[in-house]
């Protein structure tokens, strides 16, 4: 599960060899280290167009960080003439002059765009600055959800941001940097904070070329920034190893008490995970007919409900369709898809999923793009997307449901792949490397954050912008 090539090309000899042979030179990504680490440091440049409204909220978020904030003064935009709108500490910076600074983030509020002519402001902001983006930097663009734009020209302009961001992500990926797009609902500026912090921080190291929609949010009482999930109870399925173990550890780091669930033969490993985070272990096969009630009973026995339900358990049973035995099909659909529905149904029937609860499902890029030999797995993971999108319209009491779609993540599942396929999977993305379980876990922690209650019905890929699929 270790990426030998990544380590090799980051030696002096390996760097030279990769350059002369034209091989990819992935940069080891910087990941989140400690709870009190600021979400962003260094120089941050903010720009905006027209009467964009998100910028003042960006200002508030950035003001709470030690970053030195600049606002692009040379853009003839009224919004930025008042520097206070980007935080009281923000300094004007002319983009017409030579720019000395290197930026840890370039943030552009495009919510004020009204027509496709306004896209010129995007060029005017990024053209002189993109080469000044530091290694591991962040590009974050904020637009309006095109579905909420009545005028076709406005919808076109905001949709254009998606193509722009996906392309920028491909250009900056070689330095370990990312680019993402947040689409806000009209009047939903206040809901952006937790998402802005996630996409600007090291927590989103392996999330690039993604679009996340943020709707309006209800007022949330202030949370402890270092332990935002304090007092929450989380259920994580498939928690004995790999991505599930990392989700359990990450949610516990953020303050949650975790119930780790896995099949009985993994109890030794599961117990190690839950003991290390002060959680509880539950042996259960989620495909058993009685599993939903067993889970509900366990929750009632120890807690008064559950806040976060993370459907992580998954299996692959690969075979081309004509050679696939029926139990391969049945098991894969049952574990990856049907079990999730039944568990949610029972928890909601018994009113055990608490107010402002979170459900998170794990899809896969195989569910988006399809994969040779994985008709069963791709169908199940695509079904997960359908389930999340439909449920997002039905959930009540402040509950949200979202999915992550991992690409190539270094786990036992991918270690079992044949070498050539494994190596191709690792390199075929803008960051030229596989992700780590913690990358998926961090995205889930963002969905689970109390302030993310406007983030609902999303499928965000954690794939380093894999070349496969959209
Ligand atoms: P993993 O290492 O195989 O871990 C999955 C865990 O789920 C295992 O402990 C497994 O137990 C458990 N599990 C399987 N069937 C279960 C059942 N019926 N009831 C309870 N637990 C069960 O997988 P991973 O790589 O961490 O993947 C985690 C999730 O991410 C899965 O949903 C997977 O499809 C998805 N994903 C992974 C990748 C990747 O690159 N790794 C990419 C895309 C999506 P046993 O296997 O011991 O039975």
């Amino acid at each position: 599960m270790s990426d030998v090539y990544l380590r090799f090309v980051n030696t002096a000899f390996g760097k030279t060899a990769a350059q002369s042979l034209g091989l990819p030179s992935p940069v080891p990504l910087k990941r989140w280290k400690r709870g009190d680490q600021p979400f962003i440091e260094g120089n941050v440049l903010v720009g905006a167009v027209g009467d964009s409204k998100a910028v003042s909220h960006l200002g508030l978020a950035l003001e709470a960080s030690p970053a030195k904030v600049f606002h692009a003064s040379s853009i003839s935009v009224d919004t930025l003439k008042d520097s206070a709108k980007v935080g009281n500490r923000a300094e004007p910076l002319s983009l017409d002059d030579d720019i000395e600074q290197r930026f840890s983030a370039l943030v552009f509020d495009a919510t004020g765009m009204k027509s496709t002519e306004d896209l010129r402001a995007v060029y005017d902001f990024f053209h002189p600055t993109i080469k000044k983006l530091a290694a591991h930097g962040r590009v974050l663009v904020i637009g309006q959800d095109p579905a909420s734009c009545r005028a076709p020209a406005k919808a076109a302009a905001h949709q254009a941001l998606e193509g722009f961001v996906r392309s920028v992500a491909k250009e900056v990926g070689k330095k370990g940097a990312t680019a993402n797009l947040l689409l806000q609902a009209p009047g939903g500026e206040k809901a952006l904070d937790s998402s802005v912090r996630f996409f600007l921080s090291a927590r989103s190291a392996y999330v690039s070329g993604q679009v996340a929609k943020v709707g309006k949010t209800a007022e949330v009482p202030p949370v402890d920034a270092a332990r935002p999930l304090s007092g929450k109870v989380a259920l994580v399925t498939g928690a004995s190893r790999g991505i599930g173990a990392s989700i359990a550890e990450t949610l516990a780091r953020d303050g949650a008490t975790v119930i780790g669930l896995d099949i009985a033969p993994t109890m030794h490993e599961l117990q190690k995970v839950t003991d290390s985070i002060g959680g509880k272990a539950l042996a259960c096969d989620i495909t058993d007919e009685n599993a939903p009630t067993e889970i509900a009973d366990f929750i009632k026995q120890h807690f008064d409900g559950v806040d976060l339900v993370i459907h992580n358990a998954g299996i692959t049973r690969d075979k081309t369709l004509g050679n696939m035995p029926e139990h391969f099909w049945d098991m894969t659909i049952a574990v990856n898809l049907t079990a999730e529905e039944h568990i949610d149904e029972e928890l909601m029937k018994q009113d055990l999923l608490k107010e402002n609860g979170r459900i998170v499902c794990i899809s896969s890029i195989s569910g988006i793009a399809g994969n040779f030999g994985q008709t069963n797995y791709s169908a199940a993971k695509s079904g997960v997307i359908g389930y999340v999108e439909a449920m997002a319209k039905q959930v009540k009491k402040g509950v949200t449901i979202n999915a992550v779609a991992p690409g190539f993540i270094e786990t036992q599942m991918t270690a079992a792949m044949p070498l050539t396929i494994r190596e191709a999977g690792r390199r075929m993305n803008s960051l030229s490397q596989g992700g780590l379980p913690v990358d998926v876990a961090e995205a889930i922690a963002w969905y689970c954050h109390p302030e993310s209650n406007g983030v609902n019905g999303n499928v965000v890929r954690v794939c380093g912008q894999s070349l496969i699929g959209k």
Side-chain angles (χ1 to χ4, degrees):
M1 277 177 280
S2 89
D3 188 342
V4 179
Y5 180 77
L6 177 67
R7 277 188 276 130
F8 171 69
V9 290
N10 282 286
T11 61
F13 173 70
K15 216 170 262 174
T16 317
Q19 269 164 10
S20 53
L21 293 169
L23 295 171
S25 301
V27 176
L29 302 180
K30 275 195 185 159
R31 292 181 168 89
W32 191 257
K33 288 201 199 86
R34 31 168 244 275
D36 61 349
Q37 187 180 332
F39 69 93
I40 186 90
E41 292 171 278
N43 297 320
V44 175
L45 179 66
V46 179
V49 57
D51 60 351
S52 289
K53 299 278 193 310
V55 70
S56 50
H57 281 278
L58 282 171
L60 288 175
L62 289 168
E63 226 172 25
S65 79
K68 182 159 179 48
V69 184
F70 295 89
H71 65 92
S73 65
S74 53
I75 297 177
S76 56
V77 170
D78 292 342
T79 320
L80 292 186
K81 287 204 177 126
D82 174 4
S83 68
K85 288 195 170 145
V86 241
N88 287 322
R89 287 188 283 112
E91 284 178 20
L93 185 76
S94 167
L95 304 190
D96 295 330
D97 305 333
D98 279 348
I99 301 169
E100 290 163 12
Q101 293 81 354
R102 292 202 86 73
F103 299 103
S104 50
L106 300 170
V107 187
F108 191 76
D109 178 6
T111 52
M113 284 200 305
K114 292 192 170 58
S115 70
T116 51
E117 281 89 3
D118 288 339
L119 284 166
R120 179 58 201 250
V122 178
Y123 173 84
D124 288 343
F125 177 75
F126 283 105
H127 171 68
T129 57
I130 196 72
K131 287 186 182 167
K132 299 289 176 181
L133 185 70
H136 311 288
R138 297 282 181 266
V139 169
L140 184 62
V141 178
I142 301 166
Q144 263 191 46
D145 185 350
S148 71
C149 302
R150 284 179 61 193
K154 187 172 173 184
H158 286 275
Q159 184 65 44
L161 296 174
E162 185 172 327
F164 172 77
V165 164
R166 289 194 201 278
S167 298
V168 170
K170 292 188 176 183
E171 293 185 11
V172 301
K174 58 182 177 299
K175 49 175 142 178
T178 66
N180 292 289
L181 172 63
L182 283 176
L183 294 177
Q184 69 156 69
E189 297 80 21
K190 278 190 190 162
L192 290 171
D193 288 9
S194 64
S195 303
V196 166
R197 285 198 302 268
F198 172 68
F199 282 105
L200 290 186
S201 75
R203 293 175 196 252
S204 58
Y206 200 59
V207 181
S208 196
Q210 294 305 297
V211 182
K213 290 188 181 182
V214 185
K216 279 196 184 172
T217 178
E219 206 67 47
V220 181
V223 289
D224 175 353
R227 289 174 68 80
L229 302 180
S230 231
K232 307 275 182 198
V233 174
L235 169 72
V236 182
T237 69
S240 71
R241 63 166 193 246
I243 295 173
S246 189
I247 296 168
E249 286 154 7
T250 304
L251 297 183
R253 175 203 69 189
D254 285 358
T257 303
V258 176
I259 304 168
L261 175 155
D262 214 306
I263 52 169
T266 66
M267 256 327 90
H268 183 63
E269 287 76 31
L270 180 65
Q271 200 81 54
K272 266 203 233 161
V273 173
T274 52
D275 284 355
S276 71
I277 56 173
K280 296 203 177 298
L282 170 60
C284 175
D285 180 334
I286 56 168
T287 63
D288 277 356
E289 205 185 328
N290 298 328
T293 47
E294 271 174 37
I295 295 169
D297 289 347
F298 189 86
I299 292 170
K300 284 188 284 187
Q301 192 188 336
H302 297 281
F303 305 100
D304 60 350
V306 64
D307 298 277
L308 321 169
V309 178
I310 319 299
H311 295 294
N312 164 75
I315 57 163
T316 49
R317 291 292 180 274
D318 298 356
K319 276 275 178 208
T320 51
L321 186 55
N323 293 325
M324 187 180 290
E326 62 182 299
H327 70 280
F328 270 32
W329 178 271
D330 292 342
M331 270 183 82
T332 307
I333 300 288
V335 177
N336 292 291
L337 183 58
T338 313
E340 307 184 357
E341 297 161 37
H342 292 168
I343 293 168
D344 291 346
E345 207 172 47
E346 188 63 32
L347 294 179
M348 288 198 241
K349 193 174 92 188
Q350 296 202 30
D351 209 12
L352 288 173
L353 181 62
K354 288 196 192 168
E355 208 168 315
N356 297 316
R358 301 280 185 268
I359 303 171
V360 185
C361 301
I362 318 285
S363 179
S364 163
I365 53 169
S366 294
I368 294 170
N371 204 8
F372 183 90
Q374 290 199 320
T375 48
N376 50 357
Y377 184 71
S378 301
K381 293 299 191 184
S382 204
V384 165
I385 296 174
Y387 176 65
V388 164
E389 289 179 348
M391 280 287 283
K393 295 181 192 131
Q394 294 176 23
V395 281
K396 298 192 176 79
K397 299 195 302 183
V399 170
T400 67
I401 178 165
N402 294 281
V404 287
F408 184 99
I409 305 295
E410 305 280 357
T411 66
Q412 219 160 300
M413 198 183 250
T414 46
M417 288 175 166
L419 179 70
T420 46
I421 299 177
R422 187 165 73 235
E423 210 29 43
R426 273 187 181 136
R427 305 294 158 226
M428 282 173 60
N429 59 73
S430 298
L431 299 166
S432 301
Q433 59 197 289
L436 299 182
V438 72
D439 297 324
V440 180
E442 293 286 14
I444 290 171
W446 157 56
Y447 283 148
C448 290
H449 195 288
E451 289 170 8
S452 296
N453 60 3
V455 182
N456 188 27
N458 279 277
V459 181
V460 166
R461 291 169 49 151
V462 182
C463 65
Q465 198 181 29
S466 169
L467 305 183
I468 301 165
K470 200 171 144 188

